[in-house]
Amino acid sequence: MLYSDKRGKTKKVKRKVKPDEAPVQEMDQAEGEETEKKSVSGPCFPPTFSVSEIKNKQRRHAMFLKLKEEKRKQKLELKKKKKKERKALGDQAPPKEVPKTIENQRIYDETTVNPEDEEVAFDEGTDEFSAYFSRLTNPKVLITTSDRPRGRTVRFCEQLATVIPHAHVYYRRGLALKRVIPQCVSRGFTYVMVINEDRKVPNGLVLCHLPDGPTAHFKVSNVRLRKEMKRRGKDPTEHVPEVILNNFSTRLGHSIGRLFAALFPHDPQFVGRQVATFHNQRDFIFFRFHRYIFKNEKKVGIQELGPRFTLKLRSLQKGTFDSKFGEYEWVHKRHEMDSSRRKFHL
Amino acid sequence: MLENDEHKEEEKNLTESEIEVLLAEVEVIWDLIGNDSFCSYKVKTKTQQFCRNEYNITGLCNRSSCPLANSQYATVREEKGLCYLYMKVIERAAFPARMWEKVKLDRNYAKALEQIDENLIYWPRFIRHKCKQRLTKITQYLIRIRKLTLKRQRKLVLLSRKVERREKRREEKALIAAQLENAIEKELLDRLKQGTYGDIYNFPIHAFDKAMEKQEEETESEEEEDEEEPVTREFVADDGFEESDLSDFEDMNNLKGSSDEEEEAEEESSEEEESEEELEEEKTKAQSKGKAPLKGPIRKKRAYVEMEYEQETEPAQKSKAT
């Protein structure tokens, strides 16, 4: 008898149910009244009953859908009520609640930089990039790959070289990085960029600032070459692009941001109307290269040229590349750092 | 089959008849495991048969290379970088524990060859030759190992599938949350408002109006005299700008100052990422925060206006092309 009750409550189109519905409906109403006596709200479900207890899959599914719809209705009613209240109060209404996002709920990082922080300003005045930022040096970048690069990586390197001014691509040919670096220093390079490749696809980036600078190791993903871009423009010109660095808020983020900024020469040529963006969101750094045009003072159109890729910082090491004996400033440790979904480090 | 007690005392000294018997045994073995029969060490491929026995000298399954079917046999094997010569003779055929005699060969290749020669002095040519060939091959690959260990070795880092999947999903979500195009456009518009682009783009109207309003407020509070002609000033928004009067310079400075103050209040977040750029500024803080510090005094109007026109046509062409 219990079974037939529950069947009667389903709304499904099963033909078997129809002949039963008539006699069951009376029972339904009785049940309904009973439940109404038991619980104030409930039209449908006795409180001790849960959808998961039904063994029959189709019935269970149908009941679950019914349950969902109930909930949706309730939610809608609640919303309507709230809206009415807001209207009624008019100006005195409490401010609208801001929806929670991951960025809102982010765990506050102690190393977040305060813009007026003097200590940070002092550090940045004396760190490895101070030479660049005080305009003593001009960037000169060497781009290379791991051994035996495949086609995609090579093309990626070439495109990077067009995006970054004063960049030169060299083949690796099995040379040891530790020997390459002193040679680069002697030839006046300020950056070495090594793109690591795995299974014909670039997947890692080692960015080493040259005279003694920090070495950052990134994981590269979602590389899109120029010809794979939709609605892209013509090739980038030789003009020096502008740089946009977004959301680098902690100390670590700051140092990485300066690392990226020092890749590009100081004075962007606005004639070229090109902009390179490094946008940090939840520890992923998105690189984009656009050409912009101001249609009027309120509207700008951007068109993506150039490769796009995503970076995720794996480690930051003081000094030039030395994976064994180097001093690591920051290493991504999965078990410690990925334990919370709201904690980000950049 | 021969009985064991006969062999226990006299290992080396076998009579001829005993030897014959043993040899016959060996023939039987080859019949059993040989050409088309089953041998557990045999690996058959389309064109050839291989022997997986560790004492096999050539690695192929042949009558002459089979260590089971040859009573007199020798191999060279390598352990931990050292080569050893293994020999099996008929006299020890019944003692499996002592069957193989192991001789350590010299590390020097030439000396090792001589050692092989002296140990296998009256042995069949085939076995001697193959032993030497094997020794050659082994030394070559040992040299290669030593060379490779000196070079850079590739370290394989394991990817955890779960982590990769998770990171991929998080990246997608982060991309959606980032709203890159909007962010970039906003940043560019902010830079335009701040004036980092200088006078390249001539969209003066809106900004000027705002500035004019602010200026009016200021002048009302300050009560200066010569700036109390709003009507002409506003009208002159474009014209007066072209005339390089001193009063206009003042206007420009006030303008920039006001618009920057406006923007400073709004943009606290962008300050953080652009703080590194602040270091390079020589001008006052009210100046533009972009990469290129703006030159204060306005340059010659005529030439500038022409430049603007040129630029305006260029982008039009570009948009047509794309």
Side-chain angles (χ1 to χ4, degrees):
Chain A
M1 293 311 280
L2 272 174
Y3 268 144
S4 60
D5 284 346
K6 290 173 187 175
R7 271 177 64 197
K9 288 172 193 167
T10 60
K11 287 200 302 186
K12 58 190 188 322
V13 196
K14 242 188 177 180
R15 284 175 201 154
K16 291 179 198 166
V17 185
K18 280 183 187 169
D20 287 341
E21 262 179 20
V24 171
Q25 271 190 2
E26 291 179 352
M27 303 212 47
D28 238 2
Q29 288 169 4
E31 268 274 356
E33 283 169 33
E34 280 183 12
T35 53
E36 277 183 276
K37 286 177 200 166
K38 283 178 197 172
S39 57
V40 184
S41 62
C44 273
F45 304 106
T48 52
F49 155 79
S50 105
V51 185
S52 55
E53 280 171 19
I54 307 178
K55 300 293 184 182
N56 185 328
K57 186 170 179 176
Q58 278 183 316
R59 280 184 214 156
R60 187 172 63 234
H61 182 60
M63 291 300 264
F64 179 69
L65 289 177
K66 235 196 169 191
L67 188 73
K68 275 275 179 177
E69 201 172 319
E70 281 296 319
K71 282 195 181 165
R72 232 180 289 147
K73 266 194 212 163
Q74 285 176 4
K75 197 173 170 186
L76 210 64
E77 281 176 27
L78 203 68
K79 259 193 186 174
K80 275 192 184 168
K81 227 173 35 168
K82 273 198 174 166
K83 206 172 176 186
K84 257 193 203 171
E85 284 174 15
R86 277 189 83 84
K87 255 191 180 175
L89 287 178
D91 281 332
Q92 300 166 359
K96 256 194 179 171
E97 290 160 37
V98 181
K100 292 187 196 172
T101 63
I102 292 185
E103 281 76 28
N104 286 346
Q105 305 296 98
R106 177 178 174 176
I107 295 177
Y108 178 73
D109 197 335
E110 311 88 51
T111 61
T112 307
V113 174
N114 201 352
E116 296 108 31
D117 202 342
E118 284 175 3
E119 189 192 329
V120 173
F122 177 70
D123 277 340
E124 291 182 354
T126 53
D127 77 351
E128 295 104 352
F129 297 108
S130 55
Y132 167 80
F133 283 109
S134 42
R135 293 194 182 231
L136 292 173
T137 55
N138 278 322
K140 193 174 168 198
V141 182
L142 176 82
I143 303 183
T144 181
T145 64
S146 55
D147 285 339
R148 301 192 177 254
R150 313 297 296 179
R152 218 180 139 82
T153 316
V154 172
R155 270 178 275 146
F156 180 52
C157 287
E158 286 166 19
Q159 291 183 6
L160 263 185
T162 56
V163 163
I164 303 177
H166 306 301
H168 307 268
V169 182
Y170 284 95
Y171 281 120
R172 181 74 173 275
R173 287 165 139 259
L175 299 168
L177 261 188
K178 288 194 195 168
R179 296 216 191 118
V180 167
I181 286 178
Q183 282 187 22
C184 286
V185 177
S186 63
R187 290 189 201 181
F189 281 97
T190 55
Y191 264 102
V192 170
M193 215 193 230
V194 182
I195 294 175
N196 191 23
E197 187 200 5
D198 178 52
R199 294 215 193 133
K200 307 182 193 173
V201 133
N203 76 342
L205 176 73
V206 173
L207 192 56
C208 184
H209 183 75
L210 268 187
D212 303 300
T215 309
H217 176 45
F218 296 95
K219 174 176 104 150
V220 169
S221 47
N222 279 352
V223 171
R224 272 249 203 125
L225 298 176
R226 216 167 268 149
K227 65 178 183 182
E228 295 159 13
M229 303 272 206
K230 294 182 188 171
R231 285 182 287 242
R232 68 179 158 97
K234 293 188 182 163
D235 290 337
T237 56
E238 291 295 319
H239 296 112
V240 173
E242 295 175 47
V243 179
I244 292 181
L245 299 161
N246 275 342
N247 285 348
F248 289 97
S249 54
T250 62
R251 282 301 294 272
L252 181 66
H254 250 253
S255 33
I256 300 288
R258 286 158 70 78
L259 194 76
F260 288 132
L263 269 176
F264 293 89
H266 279 282
D267 300 313
Q269 293 167 323
F270 299 122
V271 182
R273 287 184 292 125
Q274 289 172 149
V275 56
T277 312
F278 291 90
H279 182 104
N280 171 38
Q281 188 82 17
R282 302 181 195 174
D283 283 353
F284 288 98
I285 301 170
F286 298 102
F287 172 82
R288 299 287 184 270
F289 193 74
H290 291 277
R291 183 170 280 142
Y292 63 88
I293 173 170
F294 285 106
K295 293 177 192 162
N296 54 40
E297 75 269 10
K298 289 215 173 184
K299 241 183 140 191
V300 58
I302 54 175
Q303 188 186 42
E304 186 160 7
L305 344 157
R308 65 155 81 155
F309 52 91
T310 327
L311 299 172
K312 186 163 201 275
L313 182 68
R314 277 221 198 108
S315 66
L316 181 63
Q317 182 208 333
K318 269 195 193 155
T320 56
F321 179 74
D322 190 342
S323 51
K324 275 194 232 167
F325 306 110
E327 182 196 337
Y328 281 95
E329 225 178 277
W330 188 83
V331 175
H332 178 76
K333 290 182 188 150
R334 188 164 72 87
H335 288 286
E336 295 172 18
M337 300 182 182
D338 275 354
S339 53
S340 160
R341 285 191 204 211
R342 305 284 178 260
K343 188 165 189 338
F344 304 112
H345 311 281
L346 276 186
Chain B
M1 302 300 283
L2 294 163
E3 297 173 32
N4 280 342
D5 38 296
E6 278 191 61
H7 283 266
K8 262 182 198 166
E9 286 106 23
E10 299 174 347
E11 228 187 55
K12 295 284 183 179
N13 307 325
L14 289 175
T15 58
E16 273 193 24
S17 53
E18 284 162 347
I19 291 177
E20 273 176 29
V21 171
L22 287 170
L23 287 172
E25 233 178 80
V26 153
E27 290 292 330
V28 168
I29 293 177
W30 182 248
D31 281 335
L32 286 173
I33 64 178
N35 282 323
D36 285 327
S37 319
F38 177 78
C39 169
S40 63
Y41 297 106
K42 193 188 294 193
V43 175
K44 262 188 169 175
T45 41
K46 251 195 233 172
T47 47
Q48 224 180 29
Q49 294 176 348
F50 294 98
C51 182
R52 280 192 308 124
N53 192 323
E54 12 180 73
Y55 289 100
N56 190 315
I57 198 166
T58 52
L60 309 171
C61 186
N62 285 329
R63 176 71 183 85
S64 44
S65 318
C66 186
L68 305 171
N70 285 313
S71 45
Q72 195 184 48
Y73 201 76
T75 324
V76 175
R77 274 172 73 190
E78 177 256 334
E79 269 168 45
K80 295 182 195 168
L82 293 171
C83 300
Y84 296 94
L85 175 67
Y86 287 82
M87 289 180 287
K88 163 176 136 169
V89 292
I90 202 168
E91 282 88 6
R92 293 196 303 273
F95 308 107
R98 296 175 251 162
M99 199 151 69
W100 291 96
E101 182 186 341
K102 185 170 166 182
V103 173
K104 185 166 160 187
L105 294 174
D106 205 73
R107 279 191 198 220
N108 184 337
Y109 177 62
K111 283 196 190 156
L113 284 178
E114 285 172 15
Q115 272 180 315
I116 289 181
D117 266 333
E118 82 184 55
N119 275 310
L120 300 181
I121 189 165
Y122 296 120
W123 285 52
R125 218 180 302 130
F126 175 78
I127 290 185
R128 260 187 286 145
H129 182 59
K130 289 296 176 186
C131 277
K132 288 184 204 166
Q133 272 189 341
R134 206 176 156 93
L135 175 70
T136 314
K137 205 49 156 233
I138 288 175
T139 44
Q140 284 173 347
Y141 80 61
L142 285 175
I143 291 171
R144 198 151 163 249
I145 289 176
R146 278 180 230 131
K147 259 195 223 166
L148 283 177
T149 51
L150 288 176
K151 276 193 186 178
R152 299 156 42 235
Q153 283 174 332
R154 202 176 285 218
K155 185 177 167 194
L156 294 175
V157 177
L158 302 175
L159 291 177
S160 165
R161 220 174 291 165
K162 168 177 157 187
V163 171
E164 292 304 307
R165 241 190 305 136
R166 207 199 272 168
E167 299 242 308
K168 194 167 143 226
R169 187 75 181 128
R170 285 190 187 164
E171 192 185 317
E172 285 167 11
K173 296 252 171 181
L175 184 62
I176 295 171
Q179 294 177 345
L180 281 171
E181 272 106 43
N182 292 348
I184 297 176
E185 285 171 11
K186 185 165 159 285
E187 178 66 30
L188 288 170
L189 285 171
D190 289 339
R191 287 191 184 177
L192 178 69
K193 271 193 208 157
Q194 284 174 7
T196 52
Y197 300 126
D199 297 321
I200 305 176
Y201 303 105
N202 198 15
F203 306 127
I205 303 171
H206 182 75
F208 265 78
D209 282 342
K210 258 196 196 173
M212 284 305 152
E213 286 173 25
K214 281 239 162 182
Q215 200 187 20
E216 282 181 35
E217 291 172 19
E218 281 171 20
T219 54
E220 282 172 19
S221 58
E222 290 173 2
E223 289 185 64
E224 283 184 292
E225 289 183 5
D226 44 330
E227 306 198 16
E228 258 344 296
E229 292 176 71
V231 177
T232 48
R233 190 61 42 68
E234 284 174 15
F235 174 65
V236 163
D238 284 335
D239 295 353
F241 194 55
E242 285 169 7
E243 297 164 23
S244 43
D245 291 335
L246 260 180
S247 56
D248 284 342
F249 283 140
E250 284 178 299
D251 293 349
M252 272 302 292
N253 284 335
N254 285 339
L255 214 174
K256 250 185 263 153
S258 57
S259 62
D260 281 333
E261 280 160 33
E262 196 179 1
E263 299 317 316
E264 267 185 89
E266 287 172 1
E267 299 169 2
E268 290 176 9
S269 57
S270 60
E271 273 195 53
E272 291 171 6
E273 62 259 14
E274 293 177 8
S275 57
E276 62 264 12
E277 293 151 10
E278 285 183 79
L279 286 172
E280 60 197 32
E281 279 167 39
E282 306 124 21
K283 310 256 172 175
T284 61
K285 276 196 182 168
Q287 285 288 333
S288 53
K289 290 189 192 132
K291 284 217 117 186
L294 184 60
K295 305 299 173 199
I298 309 162
R299 277 163 267 175
K300 297 213 173 123
K301 283 302 122 184
R302 305 297 148 148
Y304 229 80
V305 167
E306 281 166 16
M307 268 177 67
E308 285 163 8
Y309 283 143
E310 280 173 22
Q311 284 179 358
E312 276 167 34
T313 52
E314 269 180 39
Q317 285 169 7
K318 278 191 177 160
S319 58
K320 278 183 207 161
T322 56

